Amino acid sequence: MTRIITLLNEKNHYLEKFYALNEVELANFAQGQFDNLEHFYQTRDRILDVLKYVDAQIEKAHSEIGAESVIAENERREVKEALSIKDEYVARIIEQDIQVLACIEMAKNSIIRELQEVRRNRKAVGGYKTKTFNQRLDEEV
């Protein structure tokens, strides 16, 4: 059971890293700085890979314990505490991810508006470039 508790604490450590990474990048995204987006997602993927590995190790350790083993009260309390911490981090990370997606969506919408504005401006400028206007200028010259 000690192994499981250690692994649960390790999982919480990586969830904390994931949360901290999100916090830093969320501040950048709020300022419109998306230069680090690729690195951000790669780092998140690496942390998620580590979390998957830790989960597999927890599963393995749990299957090795057996159903009939006696679990001390203090171990039970430590497991509950670690699971409670995990749940708190997961809830916070979900909130962050919603904010990250909202920032990305706002930036995407801003880019779309800029592109539409450029397209409108090109049409307006194109209206001034008529053949008759250019021919008349040539004749006057």
Side-chain angles (χ1 to χ4, degrees), residues 88-101:
E88 186 176 327
Y89 273 121
V90 168
R92 286 176 165 179
I93 288 168
I94 290 171
E95 288 175 19
Q96 286 177 326
D97 280 353
I98 291 169
Q99 292 174 353
V100 166
L101 291 173

Side-chain angles (χ1 to χ4, degrees), residues 55-137:
D55 280 340
Q57 292 299 308
I58 291 170
E59 195 66 37
K60 180 181 174 186
H62 182 262
S63 66
E64 291 173 355
I65 288 177
E68 297 175 12
S69 64
V70 177
I71 301 171
E73 186 60 36
N74 64 333
E75 290 175 330
R76 187 180 306 269
R77 182 184 44 76
E78 287 182 57
V79 168
K80 284 183 179 180
E81 184 178 325
L83 290 174
S84 174
I85 291 169
K86 177 203 61 111
D87 290 343
E88 186 176 327
Y89 273 121
V90 168
R92 286 176 165 179
I93 288 168
I94 290 171
E95 288 175 19
Q96 286 177 326
D97 280 353
I98 291 169
Q99 292 174 353
V100 166
L101 291 173
C103 286
I104 291 171
E105 186 70 22
M106 285 179 10
K108 181 185 85 173
N109 289 339
S110 174
I111 291 170
I112 290 171
R113 280 192 302 275
E114 286 178 29
L115 289 173
Q116 289 171 340
E117 185 66 27
V118 166
R119 200 174 289 142
R120 271 189 240 119
N121 288 341
R122 281 187 182 167
K123 283 183 181 179
V125 169
Y128 290 109
K129 293 182 177 180
T130 63
K131 282 188 172 184
T132 57
F133 180 73
N134 288 339
Q135 286 174 349
R136 198 175 77 218
L137 277 178

Side-chain angles (χ1 to χ4, degrees), residues 13-94:
H13 169 75
Y14 283 102
L15 286 170
E16 182 179 5
K17 281 186 166 199
F18 195 91
Y19 177 79
L21 174 69
N22 281 353
E23 278 295 303
V24 169
E25 286 306 315
L26 197 54
N28 290 337
F29 295 161
Q31 296 173 358
Q33 298 175 357
F34 293 93
D35 299 338
N36 204 23
L37 188 62
E38 177 99 15
H39 177 70
F40 170 65
Y41 275 116
Q42 289 173 353
T43 305
R44 282 172 50 117
D45 283 343
R46 287 192 300 268
I47 293 173
L48 288 173
D49 288 342
V50 171
L51 287 169
K52 287 177 191 175
Y53 174 78
V54 171
D55 280 340
Q57 292 299 308
I58 291 170
E59 195 66 37
K60 180 181 174 186
H62 182 262
S63 66
E64 291 173 355
I65 288 177
E68 297 175 12
S69 64
V70 177
I71 301 171
E73 186 60 36
N74 64 333
E75 290 175 330
R76 187 180 306 269
R77 182 184 44 76
E78 287 182 57
V79 168
K80 284 183 179 180
E81 184 178 325
L83 290 174
S84 174
I85 291 169
K86 177 203 61 111
D87 290 343
E88 186 176 327
Y89 273 121
V90 168
R92 286 176 165 179
I93 288 168
I94 290 171

